[in-house]
Amino acid sequence: MSLRFFSDHGALRAEKGPPIPDLFFSVPSEDDEGEELRIDLSIERAPADWQPVSPDPGSGFTPAAWPHRPRRFVDGKDVGEVVAWLRAGGGYLVPVRLSQLGAVVLHEVDGELRRERESVARAVTLLGDVFPWPEIEGLAIALQEHGLHLLLARLPEVKDEAELFDVERMRAAVQRRSGNEMAALEEHLAALKPEVPTLVDGRLEPRSGGRGPRTPAIGVIKTQRQRYLHSQGLRTLHELLPGQRTPLFALQIEERLAVMSFYLRLWGRSPGYGVVRVEVPRGYYERMAALDAAYADRLAVTLHAHRTRRGDYGRAPVTLDPVLRAEESLGALLSPMQQIQSQFYRLTRM
């Protein structure tokens, strides 16, 4: 069917404007929905004894000379938006998301950050299970001829068919699929040198393909979407001074990668301001702690030293400077989204 797929399914350009209001439904969170989460708050201190920890890395400690410091920094981007809506057989609308996906890794060499490798792709994402498979195959081939990858999302699971008319639920499905593809690009770059401590901008889960419990990986999470702490833990979190951390705690979601984690304040004093969550694979942490009892403190001091001082950056309070530099390096490889969108409309004759 090639690119006639869009016109044959009643393609309608997506109009610019504010988000569509949630008229009838609420979109569920995508974060580990319905999965069992196990939390152990007693790793370093009894839960009732939690207090802010002022890291003690030892006399003469210098982050830049620490052999176990992160030396590779991986960041990814999913820059895109819904550009069209199609009409499915059931009468509900199916979004078409056009995006530029990319990942980059910077490697510290002789005290300088250098771009080691990058991966960039352009993608069209839609719900594949609502259209005949021969048409999807033809569309994938036609898009590939123009440098576009076809990504297929799954129709959301619903209890009532009427929920399929919730356009924000459908939009979330294609955005999640696109984001997972970006995460896969990040994971590929992170895994190229598994022996080098590598910092990932985000959770180590659910993007753990190829990453084992002893892999030297560090995840830094800037946006806190889920509560893991008890009441005393939240009080401790709010009382952190810049450079202080919470005690360690362990997280595991079902049978996936178990991690050790702590919260670290990079800047400020207000509740929720300047706080990131740090996680490392539990097996790796236990191996490092056996070699160096101050590993958690040294990691906290090293990450705090990497905090960005660039106040002009909107997310500076929770951003590490090497990650920001990776983001800027990757951004230079991407084209203006308006240009990509115009090319897509011309290509599909919308």
Side-chain angles (χ1 to χ4, degrees):
M1 179 171 285
S2 70
L3 296 178
R4 286 183 50 197
F5 175 91
F6 296 101
S7 60
D8 286 353
H9 289 284
L12 176 69
R13 283 196 189 193
E15 296 178 326
K16 300 286 186 181
I20 300 172
D22 181 12
L23 299 179
F24 307 109
F25 309 99
S26 62
V27 179
S29 170
E30 67 192 64
D31 291 357
D32 311 318
E33 184 182 7
E35 296 185 294
E36 180 186 359
L37 174 64
R38 297 192 291 273
I39 305 174
D40 184 355
L41 300 173
S42 61
I43 298 296
E44 192 171 13
R45 297 186 183 181
D49 297 333
W50 269 43
Q51 296 293 333
V53 176
S54 295
D56 180 8
S59 177
F61 175 76
T62 303
W66 186 37
H68 304 300
R69 69 190 182 279
R71 286 180 283 125
R72 299 174 76 240
F73 301 87
V74 180
D75 188 45
K77 276 182 177 292
D78 176 6
V79 180
E81 58 190 60
V82 171
V83 295
W85 295 88
L86 307 178
R87 184 75 65 178
Y92 44 84
L93 294 174
V94 175
V96 177
R97 191 173 199 271
L98 178 66
S99 54
Q100 295 182 87
L101 309 175
V104 66
V105 56
L106 301 187
H107 195 162
E108 178 200 323
V109 179
D110 297 329
E112 296 183 357
L113 286 176
R114 302 176 184 176
R115 190 162 73 198
E116 176 183 291
R117 191 167 298 188
E118 69 283 331
S119 181
V120 178
R122 295 177 182 177
V124 173
T125 308
L126 52 80
L127 297 164
D129 45 6
V130 299
F131 301 107
W133 184 248
E135 295 183 14
I136 291 294
E137 286 185 313
L139 176 62
I141 294 171
L143 290 174
Q144 188 65 50
E145 291 174 352
H146 297 279
L148 294 168
H149 297 284
L150 178 63
L151 303 178
L152 300 180
R154 291 184 176 275
L155 197 67
E157 293 184 7
V158 296
K159 297 179 180 179
D160 183 347
E161 187 179 3
E163 295 179 53
L164 295 176
F165 289 87
D166 176 5
V167 293
E168 288 307 307
R169 184 186 293 270
M170 305 293 257
R171 189 195 302 268
V174 296
Q175 183 168 337
R176 184 156 56 246
R177 175 65 181 90
S178 182
N180 287 343
E181 188 71 12
M182 180 272 290
L185 294 179
E186 284 186 319
E187 177 62 33
H188 172 69
L189 294 185
L192 291 178
K193 294 184 178 179
E195 75 284 357
V196 179
T198 298
L199 187 144
V200 177
D201 183 28
R203 294 173 57 192
L204 300 182
E205 281 282 15
R207 333 177 258 190
S208 63
R211 181 179 294 133
R214 297 171 70 88
T215 302
I218 300 121
V220 176
I221 299 91
K222 294 185 286 192
T223 302
Q224 313 307 325
R225 293 196 175 104
Q226 188 163 348
R227 181 173 66 84
Y228 298 113
L229 302 183
H230 59 321
S231 296
Q232 181 58 28
L234 293 172
R235 282 192 286 270
T236 300
L237 177 63
H238 293 161
E239 292 171 2
L240 293 179
L241 298 174
Q244 288 186 328
R245 65 172 178 88
T246 66
L248 287 160
F249 58 100
L251 293 174
Q252 185 166 11
I253 301 168
E254 293 193 342
E255 300 305 317
R256 297 193 293 179
L257 184 70
V259 299
M260 300 291 280
S261 186
F262 61 81
Y263 290 92
L264 171 69
R265 189 183 294 277
L266 300 179
W267 293 100
R269 286 297 310 277
S270 298
Y273 182 88
V275 173
V276 297
R277 186 170 68 81
V278 181
E279 60 183 33
V280 298
R282 183 164 185 168
Y284 174 65
Y285 167 79
E286 290 173 347
R287 179 165 65 91
M288 296 308 303
L291 298 173
D292 182 354
Y295 174 77
D297 283 348
R298 292 184 171 187
L299 178 60
V301 169
T302 299
L303 296 180
H304 186 252
H306 276 314
R307 69 195 186 281
T308 186
R309 274 81 165 174
R310 290 176 47 177
D312 59 327
Y313 181 68
R315 303 195 69 188
V318 290
T319 300
L320 302 181
D321 196 60
V323 173
L324 176 55
R325 292 176 63 180
E327 179 182 323
E328 292 175 335
S329 176
L330 180 56
L333 301 174
L334 303 181
S335 301
M337 198 59 209
Q338 185 175 2
Q339 174 186 331
I340 305 300
Q341 184 173 322
S342 296
Q343 293 173 351
F344 178 77
Y345 285 147
R346 287 196 300 271
L347 185 65
T348 58
R349 298 183 180 179
M350 280 192 212

mmCIF file of all heavy atoms in Angstrom, residues 233-275:
data_model
loop_
_atom_site.group_PDB
_atom_site.id
_atom_site.type_symbol
_atom_site.label_atom_id
_atom_site.label_comp_id
_atom_site.label_asym_id
_atom_site.label_seq_id
_atom_site.Cartn_x
_atom_site.Cartn_y
_atom_site.Cartn_z
ATOM 1 N N GLY A 233 11.603 8.772 56.312
ATOM 2 C CA GLY A 233 12.433 8.959 55.125
ATOM 3 C C GLY A 233 12.098 10.247 54.398
ATOM 4 O O GLY A 233 12.997 10.956 53.917
ATOM 5 N N LEU A 234 10.823 10.584 54.312
ATOM 6 C CA LEU A 234 10.428 11.830 53.660
ATOM 7 C C LEU A 234 10.878 13.038 54.476
ATOM 8 O O LEU A 234 11.299 14.052 53.915
ATOM 9 C CB LEU A 234 8.913 11.845 53.454
ATOM 10 C CG LEU A 234 8.390 10.813 52.447
ATOM 11 C CD1 LEU A 234 6.874 10.785 52.458
ATOM 12 C CD2 LEU A 234 8.913 11.113 51.049
ATOM 13 N N ARG A 235 10.800 12.935 55.802
ATOM 14 C CA ARG A 235 11.324 14.025 56.631
ATOM 15 C C ARG A 235 12.825 14.193 56.391
ATOM 16 O O ARG A 235 13.341 15.316 56.283
ATOM 17 C CB ARG A 235 11.040 13.745 58.108
ATOM 18 C CG ARG A 235 9.609 14.029 58.518
ATOM 19 C CD ARG A 235 9.458 14.018 60.030
ATOM 20 N NE ARG A 235 9.507 12.660 60.559
ATOM 21 C CZ ARG A 235 8.440 11.889 60.726
ATOM 22 N NH1 ARG A 235 7.253 12.336 60.390
ATOM 23 N NH2 ARG A 235 8.565 10.669 61.229
ATOM 24 N N THR A 236 13.524 13.076 56.323
ATOM 25 C CA THR A 236 14.965 13.125 56.053
ATOM 26 C C THR A 236 15.236 13.769 54.701
ATOM 27 O O THR A 236 16.137 14.613 54.568
ATOM 28 C CB THR A 236 15.548 11.698 56.086
ATOM 29 O OG1 THR A 236 15.331 11.116 57.371
ATOM 30 C CG2 THR A 236 17.030 11.699 55.750
ATOM 31 N N LEU A 237 14.467 13.376 53.692
ATOM 32 C CA LEU A 237 14.634 13.923 52.346
ATOM 33 C C LEU A 237 14.467 15.434 52.348
ATOM 34 O O LEU A 237 15.255 16.166 51.743
ATOM 35 C CB LEU A 237 13.616 13.262 51.409
ATOM 36 C CG LEU A 237 13.576 13.748 49.966
ATOM 37 C CD1 LEU A 237 14.898 13.464 49.269
ATOM 38 C CD2 LEU A 237 12.429 13.084 49.224
ATOM 39 N N HIS A 238 13.450 15.930 53.049
ATOM 40 C CA HIS A 238 13.183 17.369 53.061
ATOM 41 C C HIS A 238 14.242 18.153 53.834
ATOM 42 O O HIS A 238 14.432 19.345 53.594
ATOM 43 C CB HIS A 238 11.808 17.642 53.665
ATOM 44 C CG HIS A 238 10.685 17.125 52.815
ATOM 45 N ND1 HIS A 238 9.423 16.898 53.292
ATOM 46 C CD2 HIS A 238 10.655 16.776 51.504
ATOM 47 C CE1 HIS A 238 8.657 16.440 52.325
ATOM 48 N NE2 HIS A 238 9.391 16.355 51.226
ATOM 49 N N GLU A 239 14.935 17.485 54.764
ATOM 50 C CA GLU A 239 15.937 18.178 55.587
ATOM 51 C C GLU A 239 17.333 18.175 54.965
ATOM 52 O O GLU A 239 18.250 18.798 55.518
ATOM 53 C CB GLU A 239 16.003 17.511 56.970
ATOM 54 C CG GLU A 239 14.745 17.709 57.801
ATOM 55 C CD GLU A 239 14.745 16.861 59.063
ATOM 56 O OE1 GLU A 239 15.757 16.140 59.296
ATOM 57 O OE2 GLU A 239 13.748 16.900 59.803
ATOM 58 N N LEU A 240 17.512 17.508 53.826
ATOM 59 C CA LEU A 240 18.845 17.432 53.219
ATOM 60 C C LEU A 240 19.393 18.813 52.903
ATOM 61 O O LEU A 240 18.690 19.682 52.369
ATOM 62 C CB LEU A 240 18.789 16.610 51.927
ATOM 63 C CG LEU A 240 18.485 15.122 52.030
ATOM 64 C CD1 LEU A 240 18.452 14.511 50.636
ATOM 65 C CD2 LEU A 240 19.515 14.405 52.907
ATOM 66 N N LEU A 241 20.668 18.999 53.201
ATOM 67 C CA LEU A 241 21.412 20.174 52.753
ATOM 68 C C LEU A 241 22.112 19.825 51.443
ATOM 69 O O LEU A 241 22.321 18.644 51.138
ATOM 70 C CB LEU A 241 22.441 20.579 53.802
ATOM 71 C CG LEU A 241 21.908 21.002 55.174
ATOM 72 C CD1 LEU A 241 23.066 21.236 56.131
ATOM 73 C CD2 LEU A 241 21.031 22.236 55.059
ATOM 74 N N PRO A 242 22.502 20.821 50.639
ATOM 75 C CA PRO A 242 23.243 20.514 49.418
ATOM 76 C C PRO A 242 24.475 19.662 49.714
ATOM 77 O O PRO A 242 25.255 19.969 50.614
ATOM 78 C CB PRO A 242 23.623 21.900 48.886
ATOM 79 C CG PRO A 242 22.547 22.796 49.382
ATOM 80 C CD PRO A 242 22.208 22.269 50.757
ATOM 81 N N GLY A 243 24.607 18.566 48.972
ATOM 82 C CA GLY A 243 25.717 17.646 49.169
ATOM 83 C C GLY A 243 25.382 16.496 50.093
ATOM 84 O O GLY A 243 26.130 15.502 50.120
ATOM 85 N N GLN A 244 24.292 16.590 50.855
ATOM 86 C CA GLN A 244 23.904 15.499 51.734
ATOM 87 C C GLN A 244 23.041 14.483 50.980
ATOM 88 O O GLN A 244 22.411 14.791 49.972
ATOM 89 C CB GLN A 244 23.125 16.031 52.946
ATOM 90 C CG GLN A 244 23.973 16.778 53.954
ATOM 91 C CD GLN A 244 23.170 17.157 55.185
ATOM 92 O OE1 GLN A 244 21.961 17.418 55.120
ATOM 93 N NE2 GLN A 244 23.837 17.196 56.337
ATOM 94 N N ARG A 245 23.017 13.269 51.506
ATOM 95 C CA ARG A 245 22.219 12.196 50.920
ATOM 96 C C ARG A 245 21.378 11.529 51.991
ATOM 97 O O ARG A 245 21.615 11.706 53.198
ATOM 98 C CB ARG A 245 23.117 11.156 50.244
ATOM 99 C CG ARG A 245 24.035 10.393 51.197
ATOM 100 C CD ARG A 245 24.749 9.259 50.483
ATOM 101 N NE ARG A 245 25.680 8.525 51.348
ATOM 102 C CZ ARG A 245 25.348 7.494 52.101
ATOM 103 N NH1 ARG A 245 24.090 7.071 52.143
ATOM 104 N NH2 ARG A 245 26.256 6.872 52.820
ATOM 105 N N THR A 246 20.417 10.742 51.544
ATOM 106 C CA THR A 246 19.678 9.896 52.466
ATOM 107 C C THR A 246 20.462 8.610 52.684
ATOM 108 O O THR A 246 21.387 8.296 51.927
ATOM 109 C CB THR A 246 18.299 9.526 51.894
ATOM 110 O OG1 THR A 246 18.477 8.708 50.728
ATOM 111 C CG2 THR A 246 17.487 10.761 51.547
ATOM 112 N N PRO A 247 20.102 7.830 53.706
ATOM 113 C CA PRO A 247 20.678 6.490 53.809
ATOM 114 C C PRO A 247 20.316 5.654 52.585
ATOM 115 O O PRO A 247 19.350 5.938 51.871
ATOM 116 C CB PRO A 247 20.033 5.933 55.079
ATOM 117 C CG PRO A 247 19.673 7.139 55.887
ATOM 118 C CD PRO A 247 19.278 8.167 54.879
ATOM 119 N N LEU A 248 21.074 4.613 52.362
ATOM 120 C CA LEU A 248 20.829 3.701 51.249
ATOM 121 C C LEU A 248 19.560 2.889 51.477
ATOM 122 O O LEU A 248 19.198 2.566 52.620
ATOM 123 C CB LEU A 248 21.997 2.738 51.099
ATOM 124 C CG LEU A 248 23.297 3.302 50.533
ATOM 125 C CD1 LEU A 248 24.451 2.386 50.903
ATOM 126 C CD2 LEU A 248 23.205 3.455 49.032
ATOM 127 N N PHE A 249 18.891 2.558 50.387
ATOM 128 C CA PHE A 249 17.784 1.608 50.434
ATOM 129 C C PHE A 249 17.808 0.779 49.162
ATOM 130 O O PHE A 249 18.422 1.160 48.163
ATOM 131 C CB PHE A 249 16.431 2.310 50.626
ATOM 132 C CG PHE A 249 16.081 3.332 49.581
ATOM 133 C CD1 PHE A 249 15.211 3.022 48.540
ATOM 134 C CD2 PHE A 249 16.601 4.624 49.640
ATOM 135 C CE1 PHE A 249 14.866 3.968 47.579
ATOM 136 C CE2 PHE A 249 16.265 5.580 48.686
ATOM 137 C CZ PHE A 249 15.396 5.246 47.656
ATOM 138 N N ALA A 250 17.162 -0.379 49.206
ATOM 139 C CA ALA A 250 17.163 -1.308 48.069
ATOM 140 C C ALA A 250 15.795 -1.333 47.407
ATOM 141 O O ALA A 250 14.766 -1.258 48.089
ATOM 142 C CB ALA A 250 17.545 -2.712 48.540
ATOM 143 N N LEU A 251 15.798 -1.452 46.070
ATOM 144 C CA LEU A 251 14.568 -1.519 45.286
ATOM 145 C C LEU A 251 14.648 -2.707 44.342
ATOM 146 O O LEU A 251 15.696 -2.976 43.760
ATOM 147 C CB LEU A 251 14.394 -0.259 44.431
ATOM 148 C CG LEU A 251 14.150 1.083 45.109
ATOM 149 C CD1 LEU A 251 14.151 2.187 44.062
ATOM 150 C CD2 LEU A 251 12.836 1.059 45.856
ATOM 151 N N GLN A 252 13.536 -3.397 44.184
ATOM 152 C CA GLN A 252 13.438 -4.419 43.149
ATOM 153 C C GLN A 252 11.984 -4.531 42.713
ATOM 154 O O GLN A 252 11.077 -4.601 43.541
ATOM 155 C CB GLN A 252 13.943 -5.781 43.610
ATOM 156 C CG GLN A 252 13.952 -6.809 42.468
ATOM 157 C CD GLN A 252 14.739 -8.051 42.802
ATOM 158 O OE1 GLN A 252 15.125 -8.272 43.940
ATOM 159 N NE2 GLN A 252 14.980 -8.878 41.799
ATOM 160 N N ILE A 253 11.775 -4.523 41.394
ATOM 161 C CA ILE A 253 10.450 -4.667 40.818
ATOM 162 C C ILE A 253 10.342 -6.081 40.275
ATOM 163 O O ILE A 253 11.031 -6.440 39.313
ATOM 164 C CB ILE A 253 10.205 -3.634 39.707
ATOM 165 C CG1 ILE A 253 10.355 -2.218 40.273
ATOM 166 C CG2 ILE A 253 8.832 -3.822 39.078
ATOM 167 C CD1 ILE A 253 10.416 -1.144 39.216
ATOM 168 N N GLU A 254 9.514 -6.903 40.939
ATOM 169 C CA GLU A 254 9.352 -8.301 40.571
ATOM 170 C C GLU A 254 10.724 -8.966 40.411
ATOM 171 O O GLU A 254 11.564 -8.883 41.288
ATOM 172 C CB GLU A 254 8.463 -8.415 39.338
ATOM 173 C CG GLU A 254 7.024 -7.976 39.622
ATOM 174 C CD GLU A 254 6.033 -8.342 38.554
ATOM 175 O OE1 GLU A 254 6.433 -8.640 37.423
ATOM 176 O OE2 GLU A 254 4.824 -8.330 38.857
ATOM 177 N N GLU A 255 10.994 -9.594 39.269
ATOM 178 C CA GLU A 255 12.262 -10.314 39.099
ATOM 179 C C GLU A 255 13.267 -9.517 38.278
ATOM 180 O O GLU A 255 14.251 -10.073 37.793
ATOM 181 C CB GLU A 255 12.000 -11.668 38.432
ATOM 182 C CG GLU A 255 11.074 -12.574 39.232
ATOM 183 C CD GLU A 255 11.564 -12.787 40.659
ATOM 184 O OE1 GLU A 255 12.776 -13.004 40.848
ATOM 185 O OE2 GLU A 255 10.728 -12.716 41.581
ATOM 186 N N ARG A 256 13.026 -8.224 38.147
ATOM 187 C CA ARG A 256 13.941 -7.426 37.338
ATOM 188 C C ARG A 256 15.151 -6.993 38.161
ATOM 189 O O ARG A 256 15.352 -7.417 39.295
ATOM 190 C CB ARG A 256 13.182 -6.224 36.756
ATOM 191 C CG ARG A 256 12.063 -6.658 35.817
ATOM 192 C CD ARG A 256 11.519 -5.516 35.011
ATOM 193 N NE ARG A 256 10.827 -4.538 35.834
ATOM 194 C CZ ARG A 256 10.273 -3.425 35.346
ATOM 195 N NH1 ARG A 256 10.369 -3.165 34.062
ATOM 196 N NH2 ARG A 256 9.641 -2.589 36.121
ATOM 197 N N LEU A 257 15.964 -6.148 37.581
ATOM 198 C CA LEU A 257 17.231 -5.744 38.176
ATOM 199 C C LEU A 257 17.036 -5.104 39.544
ATOM 200 O O LEU A 257 16.306 -4.119 39.683
ATOM 201 C CB LEU A 257 17.930 -4.753 37.235
ATOM 202 C CG LEU A 257 19.323 -4.294 37.640
ATOM 203 C CD1 LEU A 257 20.313 -5.445 37.495
ATOM 204 C CD2 LEU A 257 19.760 -3.125 36.764
ATOM 205 N N ALA A 258 17.696 -5.652 40.556
ATOM 206 C CA ALA A 258 17.677 -5.072 41.908
ATOM 207 C C ALA A 258 18.712 -3.954 41.967
ATOM 208 O O ALA A 258 19.834 -4.096 41.464
ATOM 209 C CB ALA A 258 17.982 -6.142 42.947
ATOM 210 N N VAL A 259 18.342 -2.832 42.590
ATOM 211 C CA VAL A 259 19.252 -1.689 42.669
ATOM 212 C C VAL A 259 19.361 -1.207 44.100
ATOM 213 O O VAL A 259 18.460 -1.386 44.914
ATOM 214 C CB VAL A 259 18.782 -0.521 41.760
ATOM 215 C CG1 VAL A 259 18.737 -0.953 40.306
ATOM 216 C CG2 VAL A 259 17.432 0.033 42.207
ATOM 217 N N MET A 260 20.499 -0.556 44.389
ATOM 218 C CA MET A 260 20.674 0.203 45.613
ATOM 219 C C MET A 260 20.502 1.672 45.252
ATOM 220 O O MET A 260 20.953 2.115 44.188
ATOM 221 C CB MET A 260 22.060 -0.038 46.206
ATOM 222 C CG MET A 260 22.312 -1.491 46.550
ATOM 223 S SD MET A 260 21.319 -2.052 47.923
ATOM 224 C CE MET A 260 22.267 -1.410 49.272
ATOM 225 N N SER A 261 19.867 2.417 46.159
ATOM 226 C CA SER A 261 19.494 3.780 45.794
ATOM 227 C C SER A 261 19.658 4.721 46.987
ATOM 228 O O SER A 261 19.657 4.298 48.146
ATOM 229 C CB SER A 261 18.038 3.805 45.294
ATOM 230 O OG SER A 261 17.670 5.080 44.811
ATOM 231 N N PHE A 262 19.807 5.998 46.686
ATOM 232 C CA PHE A 262 19.738 7.057 47.698
ATOM 233 C C PHE A 262 19.355 8.353 46.996
ATOM 234 O O PHE A 262 19.527 8.500 45.776
ATOM 235 C CB PHE A 262 21.064 7.216 48.460
ATOM 236 C CG PHE A 262 22.264 7.592 47.618
ATOM 237 C CD1 PHE A 262 22.514 8.904 47.234
ATOM 238 C CD2 PHE A 262 23.163 6.608 47.217
ATOM 239 C CE1 PHE A 262 23.634 9.231 46.470
ATOM 240 C CE2 PHE A 262 24.273 6.922 46.445
ATOM 241 C CZ PHE A 262 24.510 8.241 46.069
ATOM 242 N N TYR A 263 18.804 9.274 47.764
ATOM 243 C CA TYR A 263 18.502 10.615 47.264
ATOM 244 C C TYR A 263 19.657 11.531 47.625
ATOM 245 O O TYR A 263 20.258 11.409 48.701
ATOM 246 C CB TYR A 263 17.215 11.150 47.870
ATOM 247 C CG TYR A 263 15.958 10.455 47.377
ATOM 248 C CD1 TYR A 263 15.443 9.354 48.058
ATOM 249 C CD2 TYR A 263 15.301 10.906 46.237
ATOM 250 C CE1 TYR A 263 14.298 8.717 47.605
ATOM 251 C CE2 TYR A 263 14.152 10.267 45.782
ATOM 252 C CZ TYR A 263 13.661 9.176 46.464
ATOM 253 O OH TYR A 263 12.528 8.541 46.014
ATOM 254 N N LEU A 264 19.951 12.468 46.737
ATOM 255 C CA LEU A 264 21.056 13.406 46.913
ATOM 256 C C LEU A 264 20.564 14.799 46.550
ATOM 257 O O LEU A 264 19.944 14.985 45.499
ATOM 258 C CB LEU A 264 22.224 13.014 45.996
ATOM 259 C CG LEU A 264 23.393 13.990 45.883
ATOM 260 C CD1 LEU A 264 24.164 14.058 47.194
ATOM 261 C CD2 LEU A 264 24.333 13.572 44.738
ATOM 262 N N ARG A 265 20.838 15.769 47.425
ATOM 263 C CA ARG A 265 20.470 17.147 47.089
ATOM 264 C C ARG A 265 21.663 17.839 46.424
ATOM 265 O O ARG A 265 22.743 17.904 47.007
ATOM 266 C CB ARG A 265 20.015 17.938 48.317
ATOM 267 C CG ARG A 265 19.412 19.298 47.917
ATOM 268 C CD ARG A 265 19.016 20.139 49.114
ATOM 269 N NE ARG A 265 17.919 19.585 49.886
ATOM 270 C CZ ARG A 265 16.629 19.732 49.581
ATOM 271 N NH1 ARG A 265 16.285 20.403 48.491
ATOM 272 N NH2 ARG A 265 15.695 19.228 50.366
ATOM 273 N N LEU A 266 21.436 18.340 45.229
ATOM 274 C CA LEU A 266 22.481 19.062 44.507
ATOM 275 C C LEU A 266 22.484 20.548 44.850
ATOM 276 O O LEU A 266 23.541 21.172 44.959
ATOM 277 C CB LEU A 266 22.282 18.885 42.993
ATOM 278 C CG LEU A 266 22.337 17.449 42.459
ATOM 279 C CD1 LEU A 266 22.111 17.438 40.946
ATOM 280 C CD2 LEU A 266 23.665 16.782 42.804
ATOM 281 N N TRP A 267 21.300 21.129 44.984
ATOM 282 C CA TRP A 267 21.161 22.566 45.219
ATOM 283 C C TRP A 267 19.984 22.811 46.160
ATOM 284 O O TRP A 267 19.059 22.001 46.236
ATOM 285 C CB TRP A 267 20.904 23.340 43.931
ATOM 286 C CG TRP A 267 22.021 23.365 42.944
ATOM 287 C CD1 TRP A 267 22.145 22.597 41.823
ATOM 288 C CD2 TRP A 267 23.175 24.201 42.962
ATOM 289 N NE1 TRP A 267 23.292 22.899 41.150
ATOM 290 C CE2 TRP A 267 23.953 23.890 41.823
ATOM 291 C CE3 TRP A 267 23.639 25.194 43.842
ATOM 292 C CZ2 TRP A 267 25.155 24.533 41.538
ATOM 293 C CZ3 TRP A 267 24.832 25.838 43.549
ATOM 294 C CH2 TRP A 267 25.583 25.508 42.412
ATOM 295 N N GLY A 268 19.988 23.987 46.817
ATOM 296 C CA GLY A 268 18.808 24.516 47.482
ATOM 297 C C GLY A 268 18.421 23.837 48.774
ATOM 298 O O GLY A 268 19.085 22.930 49.271
ATOM 299 N N ARG A 269 17.286 24.296 49.332
ATOM 300 C CA ARG A 269 16.773 23.779 50.592
ATOM 301 C C ARG A 269 15.280 23.479 50.538
ATOM 302 O O ARG A 269 14.759 22.781 51.406
ATOM 303 C CB ARG A 269 17.021 24.789 51.729
ATOM 304 C CG ARG A 269 18.462 24.874 52.199
ATOM 305 C CD ARG A 269 18.930 23.555 52.799
ATOM 306 N NE ARG A 269 18.013 23.020 53.785
ATOM 307 C CZ ARG A 269 17.983 23.391 55.060
ATOM 308 N NH1 ARG A 269 18.838 24.315 55.499
ATOM 309 N NH2 ARG A 269 17.133 22.850 55.913
ATOM 310 N N SER A 270 14.555 24.029 49.559
ATOM 311 C CA SER A 270 13.110 23.841 49.526
ATOM 312 C C SER A 270 12.770 22.370 49.295
ATOM 313 O O SER A 270 13.485 21.669 48.571
ATOM 314 C CB SER A 270 12.481 24.686 48.411
ATOM 315 O OG SER A 270 12.700 26.068 48.646
ATOM 316 N N PRO A 271 11.673 21.875 49.877
ATOM 317 C CA PRO A 271 11.278 20.475 49.662
ATOM 318 C C PRO A 271 11.113 20.174 48.178
ATOM 319 O O PRO A 271 10.458 20.909 47.446
ATOM 320 C CB PRO A 271 9.933 20.374 50.394
ATOM 321 C CG PRO A 271 9.981 21.454 51.425
ATOM 322 C CD PRO A 271 10.772 22.578 50.805
ATOM 323 N N GLY A 272 11.753 19.100 47.732
ATOM 324 C CA GLY A 272 11.634 18.697 46.335
ATOM 325 C C GLY A 272 12.527 19.448 45.374
ATOM 326 O O GLY A 272 12.595 19.098 44.194
ATOM 327 N N TYR A 273 13.241 20.460 45.833
ATOM 328 C CA TYR A 273 14.079 21.267 44.939
ATOM 329 C C TYR A 273 15.501 20.723 44.931
ATOM 330 O O TYR A 273 16.096 20.449 45.968
ATOM 331 C CB TYR A 273 14.085 22.722 45.410
ATOM 332 C CG TYR A 273 14.878 23.667 44.521
ATOM 333 C CD1 TYR A 273 14.288 24.284 43.433
ATOM 334 C CD2 TYR A 273 16.223 23.929 44.776
ATOM 335 C CE1 TYR A 273 15.003 25.146 42.620
ATOM 336 C CE2 TYR A 273 16.955 24.783 43.972
ATOM 337 C CZ TYR A 273 16.339 25.387 42.894
ATOM 338 O OH TYR A 273 17.057 26.242 42.083
ATOM 339 N N GLY A 274 16.048 20.579 43.730
ATOM 340 C CA GLY A 274 17.454 20.217 43.608
ATOM 341 C C GLY A 274 17.789 18.816 44.057
ATOM 342 O O GLY A 274 18.953 18.525 44.354
ATOM 343 N N VAL A 275 16.795 17.906 44.101
ATOM 344 C CA VAL A 275 17.017 16.545 44.589
ATOM 345 C C VAL A 275 16.965 15.560 43.431
ATOM 346 O O VAL A 275 16.056 15.607 42.598
ATOM 347 C CB VAL A 275 15.967 16.158 45.647
ATOM 348 C CG1 VAL A 275 16.091 14.688 46.014
ATOM 349 C CG2 VAL A 275 16.121 17.031 46.889
#
